[in-house]
Amino acid sequence: MLARGAPLKITPPTHVEPPYLTATTGISDKFNRRFSETAAITGPLSRMWGAVVVGIGTAGAVRIRDMLNPLPGNAAEKLSVRGFISRRKLDSHQDVSQMSVEEALSREDVHAAFICTENDSHEEFVRKFLQAGKHVCVEYPMTLSYQAAVDLWDLAQKKGVVLHEEHIELLTEDYKQLKKEVEGKTLLEGSLHFTGGALKPGFGFLAFSGIARLCWLVDLFGELSVTAATFEQDADRGYTKMTAQLLTSDSRCLTWVEERQAGLPRTKKINFVFDGLVLTQIPPAPSGTVGLFMQDLVLFSSKLSGGVSPEELDREKTRILHCFELAERIQQLSHI
């Protein structure tokens, strides 16, 4: 178990293609090799994984759609949606039946849960399904505290099930292009400024609701530390702004800003200064042919089928927990 404050060693990896879908070839060659190796060891992956979707907003509806129409030729075809859970009385959605939490937890043909609710309810649902021995795919952030995230991962390990936190922003084509531009370059200083509309209640402090951007910075530049943070709020205008000062392992300064108010456009502005190069715009990239949630579905199902190596799983867990620890430290320094 990772104790609070325990050091986490993260280094920016050389370019390692994850087992996601690529825009032009469908499943990456690396994923195909790994899938074939797993089948050779365990035999045909004939088991079907029954799944329930918790929350029928936009993300939950997409999860159901993708499981009903999986991308052919990969482990996602082994996921079968058994039902959905919602506070609303809907009876059915996309011809899928509604069920209660209690039914989903007790049914033997429900092996996995997709948690697509408000951020402040993620932890409760994740804990319930893990405790029942179900695999879990949850939207980021899985919790609103570092220690709770550690506890949930410990619980998943104890139960022998997969805990997967979705980070679709790492799968976007523009981010993949940005990562290629950054790879191998020496950072001198940088900033990432995000703006967007006001958040509804239940999304948590900006460092947690915006943890996808923090994951960008950690994925690009490795282990970070927090040196300072501020938080501004104007309740009458519905305005919030968080500014965090970060430091790379080789003492390069990064500034991360999350700014929200009704009517603000959803934008990301970067200013990354390297030795001999300055990036002020996220490089344009053509849209991928496979949706982001479908890519994530393939990754989650490949984990269920044993298609992701323990080394990759451990690297992902370390990165995610490091981001939670940073987010919590930012919140503490912001006096929230």
Side-chain angles (χ1 to χ4, degrees):
M1 175 174 174
L2 288 170
R4 181 182 296 272
L8 289 168
K9 182 61 177 176
I10 299 178
T11 55
T14 55
H15 182 66
V16 178
E17 183 184 355
Y20 307 142
L21 299 171
T22 61
T24 56
T25 60
I27 307 297
S28 70
D29 291 339
K30 184 174 182 180
F31 179 83
N32 275 332
R33 290 195 303 271
R34 189 179 295 123
F35 188 89
S36 299
E37 290 166 358
T38 302
I41 295 171
T42 63
L45 297 176
S46 57
R47 177 175 182 177
M48 296 296 295
W49 304 90
V52 64
V53 175
V54 184
I56 302 297
T58 301
V62 170
R63 290 299 192 185
I64 291 177
R65 181 202 68 192
D66 286 351
M67 280 189 281
L68 292 174
N69 302 280
L71 200 72
N74 66 83
E77 290 185 302
K78 301 302 178 184
L79 278 168
S80 176
V81 59
R82 304 296 191 202
F84 70 90
I85 296 167
S86 175
R87 292 188 299 264
R88 296 170 289 163
K89 181 64 175 175
L90 299 175
D91 293 326
S92 67
H93 184 85
Q94 300 180 64
D95 294 325
V96 175
S97 299
Q98 187 168 6
M99 67 173 67
S100 67
V101 174
E102 293 73 20
E103 181 183 356
L105 292 172
S106 62
R107 278 178 54 164
E108 294 185 358
D109 65 340
V110 172
H111 310 100
F114 290 82
I115 312 301
C116 308
T117 59
E118 294 85 355
N119 292 353
D120 61 358
S121 65
H122 286 176
E123 179 185 342
E124 177 186 0
F125 281 116
V126 170
R127 193 178 300 277
K128 284 182 178 180
F129 280 96
L130 291 180
Q131 192 65 53
K134 315 292 187 183
H135 306 286
V136 172
C137 172
V138 58
E139 296 178 325
Y140 62 81
M142 74 172 72
T143 75
L144 297 177
S145 81
Y146 165 69
Q147 190 57 53
V150 172
D151 293 344
L152 290 178
W153 235 298
D154 286 344
L155 179 58
Q157 185 173 9
K158 176 183 176 182
K159 292 291 183 176
V161 294
V162 171
L163 175 56
H164 171 76
E165 187 182 49
E166 163 259 301
H167 275 282
I168 58 173
E169 289 206 28
L170 296 179
L171 305 179
T172 62
E173 296 304 315
D174 56 354
Y175 176 72
K176 293 174 185 177
Q177 187 61 41
L178 174 63
K179 190 169 182 179
K180 290 179 181 178
E181 295 286 341
V182 167
E183 184 182 357
K185 296 178 174 63
T186 301
L187 179 73
L188 301 180
E189 62 179 354
S191 65
L192 171 58
H193 187 159
F194 172 85
T195 65
L199 289 174
K200 297 178 181 179
F203 277 76
F205 180 63
L206 292 176
F208 286 98
S209 64
I211 204 165
R213 267 76 67 187
L214 186 56
C215 282
W216 267 32
L217 296 176
V218 170
D219 192 50
L220 291 173
F221 304 116
E223 184 177 359
L224 303 174
S225 58
V226 185
T227 60
T230 59
F231 179 70
E232 306 170 41
Q233 183 174 27
D234 186 331
D236 292 336
R237 297 166 49 215
Y239 175 81
T240 54
K241 182 180 181 181
M242 179 205 76
T243 303
Q245 303 298 332
L246 308 170
L247 208 62
T248 67
S249 59
D250 55 351
S251 300
R252 304 298 184 179
C253 295
L254 283 167
T255 301
W256 172 36
V257 178
E258 291 275 316
E259 188 175 14
R260 286 188 173 273
Q261 186 179 20
L264 279 181
R266 186 178 179 88
T267 61
K268 300 185 193 77
K269 298 178 181 178
I270 63 170
N271 187 61
F272 295 147
V273 181
F274 301 95
D275 188 9
L277 175 69
V278 177
L279 284 177
T280 58
Q281 292 184 340
I282 297 173
S287 298
T289 59
V290 178
L292 298 177
F293 282 101
M294 182 64 82
Q295 292 184 50
D296 185 70
L297 186 69
V298 170
L299 177 57
F300 177 57
S301 55
S302 69
K303 289 179 180 181
L304 298 183
S305 301
V308 179
S309 71
E311 292 78 16
E312 286 187 45
L313 293 173
D314 187 63
R315 184 165 57 245
E316 181 184 83
K317 172 184 173 181
T318 300
R319 170 179 53 76
I320 291 173
L321 289 180
H322 181 53
C323 290
F324 272 105
E325 192 167 24
L326 292 172
E328 186 162 279
R329 182 57 178 157
I330 291 169
Q331 183 173 14
Q332 291 169 350
L333 292 175
S334 299
H335 306 292
I336 300 301

